[in-house]
């Protein structure tokens, strides 16, 4: 690198990711992605800021025109007092009305569901990335793993070939 040249910096992602749901990307075909705000209690926010949450069993359902996030585990804040939150309580999602209606209509189709993909802070606010997803069959999952492994082997072979040159 030249003496006066600057290193190219990657643009930073403004999101501070708390939890990812890798299992959702393996088990489902992601069709549409939405960003939603979360209604949280004080101790939940503190627990999330410590980077503690699990989205593995989470799902979204619509009830009376409101979207709810269920099954997400945010552990109790260990310095909390008697007013600590329940770890698996229902949490309201903040979405526009047309997004809620679209999610509700598509989720009622056979094989479709709404799952959380990631939980993060954006400009100090807790957000969750949810996806309208269709369940994969077992052979689709095996095919995806096989393709991933083949790509990894091809990259390894090309790296090995470059070393020999």
């Amino acid at each position: 690198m030249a003496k006066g040249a600057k290193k190219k910096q990657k643009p930073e992602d403004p999101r501070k990711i708390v939890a990812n749901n890798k299992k959702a990307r393996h088990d489902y075909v992601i069709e549409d992605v939405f960003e939603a705000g979360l209604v949280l209690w004080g101790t939940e926010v503190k627990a999330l800021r410590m980077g503690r949450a699990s989205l593995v069993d989470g799902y979204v359902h619509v009830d009376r025109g409101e979207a709810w996030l269920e099954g997400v585990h945010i552990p109790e804040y260990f310095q909390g007092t008697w007013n600590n939150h329940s770890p698996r309580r229902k949490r309201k999602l903040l979405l526009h009305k047309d997004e809620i209606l679209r999610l509700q209509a598509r989720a009622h189709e056979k094989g479709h569901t709404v799952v959380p993909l990631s939980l993060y802070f954006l400009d100090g606010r807790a957000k969750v990335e949810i996806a309208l997803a269709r369940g994969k069959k077992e052979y689709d999952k095996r095919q995806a793993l096989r393709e991933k492994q083949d790509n990894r082997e091809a990259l390894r072979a090309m790296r090995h070939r470059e070393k020999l040159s």
Side-chain angles (χ1 to χ4, degrees):
M1 195 155 69
K3 191 174 186 179
K6 289 186 176 180
K7 231 181 186 182
K8 204 174 195 180
Q9 293 182 355
K10 295 178 185 174
E12 278 193 39
D13 190 11
R15 302 186 306 179
K16 181 184 173 257
I17 296 183
V18 176
N20 276 320
N21 191 356
K22 293 179 184 177
K23 188 177 179 187
R25 295 194 186 274
H26 178 261
D27 291 343
Y28 300 100
V29 175
I30 307 301
E31 293 184 353
D32 204 1
V33 178
F34 299 90
E35 180 182 68
L38 274 169
V39 176
L40 298 174
W41 293 349
T43 54
E44 289 176 317
V45 175
K46 290 180 178 189
L48 284 178
R49 290 210 186 273
M50 292 175 60
R52 303 174 63 201
S54 174
L55 300 174
V56 175
D57 297 330
Y59 63 95
V60 176
H61 82 279
V62 179
D63 184 32
R64 296 187 200 131
E66 295 179 337
W68 295 90
L69 181 64
E70 291 197 46
V72 171
H73 185 265
I74 299 175
E76 288 185 351
Y77 183 60
F78 66 89
Q79 292 177 339
T81 58
W82 54 271
N83 61 350
N84 222 337
H85 67 276
S86 171
R88 288 203 183 265
R89 76 174 187 90
K90 283 175 38 171
R91 293 167 181 92
K92 187 175 179 179
L93 293 177
L94 304 173
L95 289 164
H96 290 285
K97 188 75 169 183
D98 61 325
E99 291 176 331
I100 293 173
L101 293 174
R102 192 170 356 141
L103 278 175
Q104 185 176 20
R106 296 281 307 274
H108 282 300
E109 293 175 12
K110 186 177 180 189
H112 286 78
T113 187
V114 183
V115 293
L117 296 179
S118 63
L119 185 61
Y120 54 90
F121 283 99
L122 181 65
D123 296 329
R125 296 186 175 166
K127 303 279 185 181
V128 64
E129 189 175 62
I130 59 175
L132 180 67
R134 182 174 34 85
K136 282 185 183 177
K137 303 279 189 243
E138 195 63 36
Y139 58 84
D140 290 335
K141 294 178 193 178
R142 284 194 298 266
Q143 181 66 28
L145 287 174
R146 194 173 303 119
E147 287 174 6
K148 190 175 176 181
Q149 185 178 4
D150 290 344
N151 288 338
R152 195 176 306 127
E153 287 175 3
L155 286 173
R156 191 176 298 134
M158 289 191 309
R159 243 183 287 128
H160 180 69
R161 189 171 164 188
E162 287 175 1
K163 287 181 184 179
L164 295 177
S165 300

